[in-house]
Amino acid sequence: MQEEMLLNHKIPAGSLVCDLGSGQGHTSVMLVKDYGFKVYAADLWSEPQENRSFFYKMGLTLEQITPVKADATALPFEKEFFDAVVSTDSYNYWGRDPKYLDEKLLPFVKHGGYIYCCVPGLKKDCHDNLPKELLLSWTPEQLAYLRDIAYWTEIVNSSRDAEVISIYEMESNENVWVDWLNQEENEIAVHCRKTMDAGGGKYLNFIAFVLRKK
């Protein structure tokens, strides 16, 4: 997902980038090694000490990558600190509030800086009549985090401080799901197989959008 999202990206090498919702840090390592960014790996549910050990094992230093325990709705950074923000497969958990961009995220991005996000989504909104296939793996509350491209278009266009560069359905949909479902030791991935084996994939997609701070 991150590789497709950053095709032809506009973030200069050497930029200070926040990997927002970085999890265990795999996306953060990729941002340093493959793109030459200096990265802050910000995540609420991962422990910085564990991520730091992982980064060391990957041959990275604290000058290249810094793990931070942070809530995406209350970021602990100075204003206009980052050249860019990248968020892979997590923005949908906190970014559905129309006020989030202007009030909680963009203040920490320099003017002219970029935001690259990709999220799991729906090909068409169906929350009023959820397909039985989707309910094999997820509850209606969990499915509330999945929205269609029309929903995300409205969210990003409501920002007064961001220019929308692009928003699109990603092409790597099938490959991403294959990689995810093949994780034998991941209970969540195994549970998702119920929906996908029943054909639920026809309702799902991945959505990416690129913004630039005015």
Side-chain angles (χ1 to χ4, degrees):
M1 289 176 68
Q2 182 163 274
E3 184 177 6
E4 180 183 349
M5 176 176 62
L6 292 177
L7 283 174
N8 303 313
H9 72 85
K10 303 297 184 183
I11 309 171
S15 291
L16 185 60
V17 173
C18 178
D19 184 6
L20 190 57
S22 57
Q24 295 177 325
H26 296 279
T27 52
S28 305
V29 170
M30 185 177 176
L31 291 173
V32 176
K33 290 193 169 186
D34 294 353
Y35 300 94
F37 303 143
K38 181 177 179 181
V39 175
Y40 276 74
D43 193 85
L44 181 61
W45 304 111
S46 298
E47 293 302 325
Q49 184 175 356
E50 295 177 6
N51 281 4
R52 192 177 296 113
S53 296
F54 170 60
F55 298 151
Y56 285 151
K57 290 178 182 178
M58 297 302 293
L60 301 178
T61 68
L62 284 177
E63 291 185 355
Q64 295 173 293
I65 188 167
T66 304
V68 179
K69 194 175 186 68
D71 185 335
T73 64
L75 293 173
F77 303 108
E78 296 179 13
K79 298 297 176 63
E80 299 187 15
F81 187 65
F82 294 106
D83 297 301
V85 173
V86 174
S87 183
T88 304
D89 196 22
S90 56
Y91 188 86
N92 52 310
Y93 289 111
W94 60 77
R96 291 173 295 121
D97 181 350
K99 298 180 180 179
Y100 174 76
L101 272 170
D102 289 339
E103 296 183 0
K104 304 293 185 180
L105 183 57
L106 286 169
F108 301 98
V109 181
K110 296 175 183 176
H111 291 282
Y114 288 93
I115 295 177
Y116 283 78
C117 292
C118 58
V119 296
L122 297 170
K123 292 184 178 179
K124 187 176 180 180
D125 187 270
C126 55
H127 287 93
D128 291 337
N129 185 24
L130 289 169
K132 62 181 184 301
E133 297 96 326
L134 297 183
L135 295 170
L136 292 173
S137 295
W138 303 295
T139 66
E141 291 74 21
Q142 291 171 320
L143 290 168
Y145 294 107
L146 302 183
R147 299 287 173 168
D148 64 6
I149 197 166
Y151 175 93
W152 285 109
T153 299
E154 183 175 355
I155 288 288
V156 296
N157 279 328
S158 69
S159 170
R160 68 178 182 274
D161 296 328
E163 173 191 1
V164 180
I165 304 299
S166 64
I167 180 166
Y168 57 95
E169 183 174 325
M170 303 182 77
E171 296 180 0
S172 55
N173 187 20
E174 292 185 10
N175 291 335
V176 171
W177 276 109
V178 168
D179 290 344
W180 173 247
L181 296 173
N182 283 339
Q183 297 184 76
E184 298 290 344
E185 298 181 0
N186 188 317
E187 293 182 3
I188 300 175
V190 171
H191 189 62
C192 290
R193 294 176 188 172
K194 296 178 182 179
T195 281
M196 302 307 286
D197 289 345
K202 64 185 177 184
Y203 301 105
L204 304 171
N205 65 2
F206 291 94
I207 297 165
F209 52 88
V210 182
L211 313 175
R212 187 178 184 185
K213 184 175 178 179
K214 296 178 181 177

